[in-house]
Amino acid sequence: MERLFNGTLELHEFLKSVLGMRPGLRRDLRFYVAFGEEHKFRGTLSGEAAYDCRELTTLDPDAELDGGMDFGNMLSLIIGHTSGGVCRVHKSMYELPPRWLSDLAGQFRSFFSHHRNKVLNLWYDRAGNNFQRQGEDYAHRIKLAIEHDENGYRTGWTVNLMSRKQATIPQEAEYDFMQEMMGGKVPGLPRLLIDECNCRELLSSIEKARADIRYVGRSKQVFKIKKGEKLEPRKLPMWSTNFSDAFKYYLIRKQWRELVRRKQSRTADAAVDVWLQRKDSRT
């Protein structure tokens, strides 16, 4: 067995063939191919999920919170903050039908009720701005649901909607950005860390997101396979790509995207070729 692990089989195949375990998606087949164990941290002393924000050992109670949200068939919300050159994602939370925006807002307010700085900067899916002129857009509704309780009273929270007038983020742009963000070599970009105790659904979504190649004209593009979003609701939290989309909105902010654009010197096709070479070398 030791010989197989050390010299014959890579870890993924060793776990699957020898130990009979079902490991996650093989790393070289992932959309977030640069994501690894170095991007995880333990956010509670116990190593278990926190009951509320007071148990998060690295969360500054005086810092503004940042959030990323996807308004899909499952409501997905991730919360973190950035300081000292480190971007930490502290918590993932969700709601499934028939529960909706008010339920997710209540979950957020409950978990972060003891956070002193009650400001949330929220990045989200562009579709969250639909019907903005009529005041019926999802982004405005989640803002109101966090800022007011079930009886209409102010909660003390202020939600800043950061994605007004946001353009669509193409998947090839997301792929390139995540390669650079997770690579950790772009000057000015913070180091990325995700709490493995409190972001199980987010980590599962990142590690299970499968990539493939498509052609647009003569150009090759890496894209994210999103079949998991069609699963029955109870399977969505751990198997869909919804949380990875909330993660995308959270990270691809204007100022960070500009840093990546300045650094990049390769073409989109070259980035795809790197992905193909990694995949082919393992098959």
Side-chain angles (χ1 to χ4, degrees), residues 3 38 40 63 65-67 78 82 85 166 207 209:
R3 177 182 59 81
E38 67 274 17
K40 301 176 185 178
L65 296 179
D66 293 335
I78 64 173
T82 302
Q166 174 180 284
E207 293 177 342

Side-chain angles (χ1 to χ4, degrees), residues 17-248:
S17 303
V18 180
L19 299 184
M21 295 174 63
R22 297 181 63 186
L25 183 65
R26 209 173 74 186
R27 184 166 176 172
D28 54 299
L29 299 179
R30 298 176 187 173
F31 183 81
Y32 302 99
V33 67
F35 186 81
E37 293 300 310
E38 67 274 17
H39 297 111
K40 301 176 185 178
F41 76 100
R42 179 177 289 186
T44 60
L45 292 175
S46 66
E48 302 294 330
Y51 177 76
D52 65 37
C53 66
R54 291 173 294 183
E55 296 184 48
L56 301 179
T57 57
T58 59
L59 177 62
D60 178 359
D62 294 308
E64 293 184 0
L65 296 179
D66 293 335
M69 187 165 182
D70 180 64
F71 298 97
N73 46 353
M74 171 181 70
L75 295 176
S76 311
L77 176 65
I78 64 173
I79 302 295
H81 86 294
T82 302
S83 65
V86 181
C87 173
R88 286 185 174 87
V89 183
H90 294 287
K91 179 67 175 173
S92 61
M93 50 187 69
Y94 65 90
E95 290 291 352
L96 298 171
R99 293 172 66 84
W100 194 230
L101 294 167
S102 60
D103 302 294
L104 184 63
Q107 186 183 158
F108 168 83
R109 294 197 314 268
S110 176
F111 187 86
F112 290 100
S113 61
H114 295 280
H115 191 72
R116 289 195 292 264
N117 189 334
K118 288 186 164 40
V119 173
L120 172 63
N121 302 306
L122 187 63
W123 286 264
Y124 51 88
D125 183 356
R126 179 185 172 214
N129 292 322
N130 291 347
F131 305 107
Q132 179 181 348
R133 290 185 179 180
Q134 292 86 351
E136 293 295 329
D137 55 294
Y138 288 162
H140 182 64
R141 289 167 67 181
I142 190 65
K143 170 182 169 70
L144 289 179
I146 291 175
E147 293 181 344
H148 300 80
D149 66 17
E150 293 77 6
N151 298 311
Y153 294 107
R154 293 283 310 188
T155 61
W157 282 97
T158 297
V159 179
N160 298 316
L161 300 179
M162 309 300 289
S163 299
R164 292 304 197 196
K165 300 182 180 179
Q166 174 180 284
T168 300
I169 302 172
Q171 287 201 27
E172 63 271 20
E174 179 190 2
Y175 179 80
D176 285 349
F177 177 89
M178 292 299 182
Q179 289 278 77
E180 301 289 0
M181 181 76 187
M182 295 171 181
K185 296 181 180 179
V186 178
L189 279 185
R191 179 187 176 200
L192 174 65
L193 290 174
I194 299 176
D195 186 342
E196 63 183 357
C197 306
N198 296 285
C199 299
R200 289 177 59 249
E201 300 85 7
L202 172 60
L203 288 171
S204 180
S205 187
I206 291 171
E207 293 177 342
K208 288 184 173 70
R210 181 182 290 270
D212 208 341
I213 296 293
R214 63 185 170 200
Y215 283 84
V216 179
R218 296 184 178 182
S219 176
K220 294 174 289 186
Q221 295 179 351
V222 178
F223 73 98
K224 188 193 307 182
I225 298 175
K226 308 189 78 170
K227 292 181 180 179
E229 296 183 11
K230 306 298 183 183
L231 293 170
E232 57 184 302
R234 67 181 181 86
K235 293 184 178 180
L236 293 175
M238 296 297 290
W239 289 93
S240 81
T241 52
N242 291 115
F243 263 110
S244 73
D245 284 344
F247 180 64
K248 168 178 67 175

Side-chain angles (χ1 to χ4, degrees), residues 253-267:
R253 312 172 188 184
K254 183 178 180 180
Q255 67 272 31
W256 290 354
R257 190 171 181 179
E258 287 302 316
L259 290 173
V260 169
R261 281 174 174 165
R262 288 179 210 158
K263 189 264 181 186
Q264 286 177 328
S265 58
R266 65 175 184 260
T267 64

